[in-house]
Amino acid sequence: MSLPCTAIEPLRFREALGHYASGITVITSHSDGEPLGFTCQSFYSVSMNPPLVSFSVMSSSASYPGIRQAGRFAVNILSGEQVGISNQFARRGTDKWQGIEWQTSPLGNPIIAGSLHWLDCEIHAEHAAGDHLIVIGEVKALNVQDADAAQPLLYFKGQYRSLAAADAA
């Protein structure tokens, strides 16, 4: 026996997806002499050969048009100590870069100091999907920090979480 198909309520849909734990990234680029960036939790690997990754972004994003124009981006995988950076880059209409230390990647993208890892990418493809765009990037450079030195920043059920807290429990 199958369950009846009903319309999906947006808030219930969001609540259900909130039960999927994810890492937090900041997608960055440099366009017209200005650094750009936004917090993104919809990041994942796509292919090993060629090395492809993907993220989703709202179609109405103020930051993404500049990233598209640049044709490249960096994925800054945030550490557990970077909650403030995640919050800062999630806001619209503010100077997201105020007080942020960063350096330039091999492709010219901003790399946020203290990030767990970073991937330097060129835009490979873009697909419209509802109210979002799915962006696929080809990884051209990366930096992996000592994995034992820091923990990732996680998001679950509407809150930041850490592996350290889970280990202590």
Side-chain angles (χ1 to χ4, degrees), residues 38 113 118:
F38 63 91
W118 56 262

Side-chain angles (χ1 to χ4, degrees), residues 118-133:
W118 56 262
L119 304 161
D120 214 11
C121 307
E122 290 179 349
I123 294 177
H124 179 77
E126 179 184 290
H127 305 281
D131 59 2
H132 276 66
L133 298 169

Side-chain angles (χ1 to χ4, degrees), residues 5-24:
C5 184
T6 58
I8 303 296
E9 298 173 27
L11 288 176
R12 191 135 166 85
F13 182 61
R14 184 179 184 137
E15 178 186 355
L17 294 179
H19 284 77
Y20 180 71
S22 65
I24 302 290

Side-chain angles (χ1 to χ4, degrees), residues 133-156:
L133 298 169
I134 299 169
V135 181
I136 298 173
E138 184 170 354
V139 179
K140 298 296 186 176
L142 56 83
N143 185 35
V144 178
Q145 305 294 336
D146 177 9
D148 294 333
Q151 297 290 323
L153 180 59
L154 303 177
Y155 202 71
F156 178 65

Side-chain angles (χ1 to χ4, degrees), residues 80-98:
E81 334 271 79
Q82 294 180 305
V83 169
I85 289 173
S86 174
N87 288 333
Q88 189 164 328
F89 279 88
R91 294 187 192 105
R92 286 182 88 116
T94 61
D95 179 6
K96 297 178 181 186
W97 293 92
Q98 184 175 354

Side-chain angles (χ1 to χ4, degrees), residues 38 40 42 44 54-61 64-65 68 125-136:
F38 63 91
C40 180
S42 61
Y44 55 94
S54 182
F55 67 87
S56 295
V57 61
M58 289 284 296
S59 299
S60 61
S61 167
Y64 185 66
R68 177 194 288 133
E126 179 184 290
H127 305 281
D131 59 2
H132 276 66
L133 298 169
I134 299 169
V135 181
I136 298 173

Side-chain angles (χ1 to χ4, degrees), residues 11-76:
L11 288 176
R12 191 135 166 85
F13 182 61
R14 184 179 184 137
E15 178 186 355
L17 294 179
H19 284 77
Y20 180 71
S22 65
I24 302 290
T25 67
V26 173
I27 306 296
T28 59
S29 190
H30 213 263
S31 180
D32 294 330
E34 294 292 322
L36 305 165
F38 63 91
T39 299
C40 180
Q41 74 183 93
S42 61
F43 165 75
Y44 55 94
S45 64
V46 174
S47 167
M48 296 295 285
N49 190 14
L52 300 176
V53 295
S54 182
F55 67 87
S56 295
V57 61
M58 289 284 296
S59 299
S60 61
S61 167
S63 300
Y64 185 66
I67 295 170
R68 177 194 288 133
Q69 179 183 346
R72 57 183 162 63
F73 62 90
V75 180
N76 295 267

